[in-house]
């Protein structure tokens, strides 16, 4: 594949200390951006709360994480993973949700980019596979390196949420507002019924279509839908990532509207279901990042079917995949994250390259 093209945004030298930027990352988002805002407000009492901190990344060098050290360090990228595990305390398995959280101090914005879980990518030591397998093979370390190496990024931190705990988090903000179609309602209710039978959750079905407040179990079921189109006609995993980002944005807005007195309860609901590489000190240092008027922007890789490759030459054992050129996706990501160019505008100005790459990659192995 082609060498990743670096962003034209101004670069600055990167210091060699591994911990230099751990304090400028956001501690996830409850799907995921919400968490940082809350932690800023209650950081003075954060030490009272226990959370799952993974320090394994502290000893890894940038080379071991596949970090692109030529990027502007005023724009920080963090990997966000959603793990679908029946064990509420487990943070291992396939990453059914993969997002890149970009804290952009240059353009005063937060950017969330979904990476479709069935994206075909090379994974170190594992050949070519779906990108969600990297987390299962080697935990957050390998998952981060896979994102960095395939998209030319500088991710050094992560936050992981166990989907089974998302219902508690959503309930803690009082649910979220969703305008749900009849088809979405039916499919969500099937998911709720299955969860109730397999996991013992309350079978709290969605009783009608239309605008309403969904509770935690209902909202999680809505966010997992992919066999029915969204209101804008997007289906499959494209539609599911759209719903996931919508749920995330609703959580973000609900958290901002909550009174400060309710934040400790919300954090208590969140922390048991999250794992992160960030320390207490790192989180507290975030206080300066989200002060002021912050814009919230969203994107998806690939942006749509126009980026996918129809002439598939990937191994049949991979099953259903999302196949697109990673060099083009890297350029698009850099334009969005570093140059603040909307992905739709970039695609219009630079039509996607949809020629296959797998056979060529395999031949050079």
């Amino acid at each position: 594949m082609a060498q990743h093209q670096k962003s034209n945004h101004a670069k600055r030298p990167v210091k060699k200390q591994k911990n230099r930027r751990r304090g400028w990352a956001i501690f996830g988002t409850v799907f995921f951006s919400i968490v940082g805002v809350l932690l800023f407000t209650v950081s003075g009492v954060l030490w009272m709360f226990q959370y799952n901190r993974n320090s394994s990344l502290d000893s890894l060098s940038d080379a071991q994480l596949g970090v692109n050290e030529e990027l502007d360090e005023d724009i920080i990228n963090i990997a966000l993973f959603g793990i679908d595990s029946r064990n509420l305390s487990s943070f291992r398995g396939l990453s059914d949700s993969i997002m890149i959280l970009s804290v952009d101090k240059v353009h005063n914005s937060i950017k969330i980019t979904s990476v479709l879980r069935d994206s075909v990518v090379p994974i170190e030591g594992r050949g070519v596979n779906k990108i969600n397998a990297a987390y299962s093979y080697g935990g957050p370390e390998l998952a981060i390196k896979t994102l960095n190496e395939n998209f030319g990024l500088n991710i050094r931190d992560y936050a992981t949420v166990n989907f089974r705990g998302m219902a508690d988090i959503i309930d803690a903000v009082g649910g979220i507002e969703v305008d749900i179609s009849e088809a979405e309602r039916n499919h969500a209710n099937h998911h709720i019924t299955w969860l109730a039978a397999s996991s013992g959750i309350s079978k709290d079905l969605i009783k009608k279509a239309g605008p309403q407040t969904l509770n935690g179990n209902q909202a999680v079921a809505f966010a997992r839908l992919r066999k029915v189109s969204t209101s804008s006609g997007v289906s499959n995993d494209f539609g599911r990532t759209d719903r996931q980002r919508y749920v995330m944005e609703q959580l973000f807005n609900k958290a901002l509207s909550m009174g400060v007195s309710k934040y400790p309860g919300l954090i208590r609901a969140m922390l048991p279901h999250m794992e992160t590489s960030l320390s207490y000190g790192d989180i507290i240092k975030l206080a300066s990042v989200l002060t002021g008027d912050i814009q919230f922007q969203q994107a998806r890789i690939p942006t749509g079917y126009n980026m996918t490759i129809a002439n598939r030459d990937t191994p049949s054992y991979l099953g259903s995949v999302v196949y697109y050129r990673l060099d083009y996706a890297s350029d698009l990501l850099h334009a969005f994250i570093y140059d603040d160019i909307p992905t739709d505008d970039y695609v219009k100005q630079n039509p996607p390259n949809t020629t296959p790459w797998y056979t060529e990659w395999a031949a050079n192995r």
Side-chain angles (χ1 to χ4, degrees):
M1 287 181 288
Q3 183 76 17
H4 290 309
Q5 178 182 338
K6 305 301 186 292
S7 167
N8 292 326
H9 196 82
K11 312 292 190 300
R12 64 169 57 181
V14 180
K15 298 179 181 179
K16 296 299 181 183
Q17 291 86 353
K18 176 67 180 71
N19 291 329
R20 64 194 174 281
R21 288 292 177 176
R22 292 227 178 263
W24 294 111
I26 267 194
F27 176 48
T29 54
V30 189
F31 228 120
F32 295 100
S33 64
I34 178 179
V35 182
V37 175
L38 299 179
L39 291 178
F40 300 153
T41 306
V42 298
S43 59
V45 295
L46 185 61
W47 60 270
M48 297 171 57
F49 300 95
Q50 297 297 316
Y51 72 98
N52 301 294
R53 203 238 164 179
N54 181 2
S55 61
S56 64
L57 271 65
D58 293 352
S59 61
L60 299 182
S61 67
D62 279 356
Q64 288 173 306
L65 289 174
V67 169
N68 179 354
E69 294 188 342
E70 299 181 14
L71 299 176
D72 188 341
E73 292 293 309
D74 281 334
I75 298 176
I76 310 305
N77 297 303
I78 304 172
L80 307 170
F81 304 108
I83 303 300
D84 191 7
S85 172
R86 294 188 180 187
N87 184 346
L88 287 175
S89 61
S90 173
F91 298 98
R92 293 297 177 265
L94 297 171
S95 52
D96 274 4
S97 177
I98 304 170
M99 298 185 184
I100 300 165
L101 170 66
S102 302
V103 181
D104 184 350
K105 295 189 289 181
V106 176
H107 303 101
N108 202 35
S109 66
I110 293 177
K111 297 170 181 173
I112 297 287
T113 305
S114 299
V115 179
L116 267 63
R117 65 174 191 170
D118 289 343
S119 298
V120 177
V121 300
I123 301 175
E124 183 181 65
R126 299 287 182 167
V128 163
N129 209 319
K130 298 179 183 180
I131 196 169
N132 69 334
Y135 199 103
S136 180
Y137 287 142
E141 298 88 348
L142 182 58
I144 288 172
K145 187 169 189 178
T146 301
L147 287 169
N148 282 336
E149 289 187 335
N150 285 292
F151 300 117
L153 297 174
N154 60 348
I155 300 170
R156 299 181 178 93
D157 285 292
Y158 79 98
T160 295
V161 171
N162 184 320
F163 277 133
R164 284 289 311 281
M166 280 297 297
D168 292 343
I169 298 168
I170 293 170
D171 284 336
V173 301
I176 61 170
E177 306 306 315
V178 176
D179 187 355
I180 189 168
S181 70
E182 181 64 18
E184 289 173 324
R185 184 186 77 87
N186 287 329
H187 280 263
N189 281 343
H190 283 306
H191 187 71
I192 293 170
T193 300
W194 177 82
L195 279 178
S198 63
S199 305
I201 70 167
S202 174
K203 187 178 176 181
D204 193 3
L205 300 179
I206 304 171
K207 295 180 173 58
K208 62 178 182 178
Q212 60 193 286
T213 300
L214 299 185
N215 65 26
N217 290 331
Q218 294 168 343
V220 169
F222 170 78
R224 302 301 305 280
L225 297 180
R226 65 171 177 167
K227 293 184 178 180
V228 58
S229 297
T230 66
S231 59
S232 57
V234 182
S235 60
N236 299 323
D237 218 28
F238 291 92
R240 177 158 68 172
T241 56
D242 284 357
R243 290 186 179 96
Q244 289 174 351
R245 291 194 307 275
Y246 175 82
V247 170
M248 172 182 57
E249 186 173 9
Q250 293 303 304
L251 281 167
F252 184 85
N253 292 335
K254 288 295 287 283
L256 289 179
S257 65
M258 292 175 64
V260 174
S261 63
K262 295 183 180 179
Y263 286 172
L266 178 53
I267 289 182
R268 284 192 181 94
M270 291 190 288
L271 295 187
H273 309 303
M274 300 188 70
E275 179 186 84
T276 182
S277 57
L278 300 172
S279 70
Y280 285 128
D282 298 332
I283 296 167
I284 292 173
K285 290 178 183 178
L286 293 172
S288 66
V289 178
L290 291 184
T291 55
D293 184 17
I294 295 293
Q295 293 183 342
F296 188 86
Q297 301 183 57
Q298 303 180 40
R300 178 182 60 208
I301 296 296
T303 56
Y305 296 108
N306 61 331
M307 272 184 64
T308 60
I309 300 171
N311 182 21
R312 197 179 124 184
D313 59 348
T314 56
S316 60
Y317 64 78
L318 291 179
S320 176
V321 299
V322 181
Y323 183 35
Y324 54 92
R325 289 201 67 93
L326 302 176
D327 48 3
Y328 179 85
S330 176
D331 292 343
L332 184 151
L333 260 179
H334 285 215
F336 174 63
I337 294 173
Y338 292 94
D339 299 324
D340 210 34
I341 299 174
T343 54
D344 287 347
D345 291 349
Y346 183 87
V347 170
K348 288 178 182 177
Q349 297 167 10
N350 305 274
N353 179 355
T354 56
T355 57
W357 59 262
Y358 172 76
T359 300
E360 177 185 350
W361 176 88
N364 293 326
R365 294 287 291 169

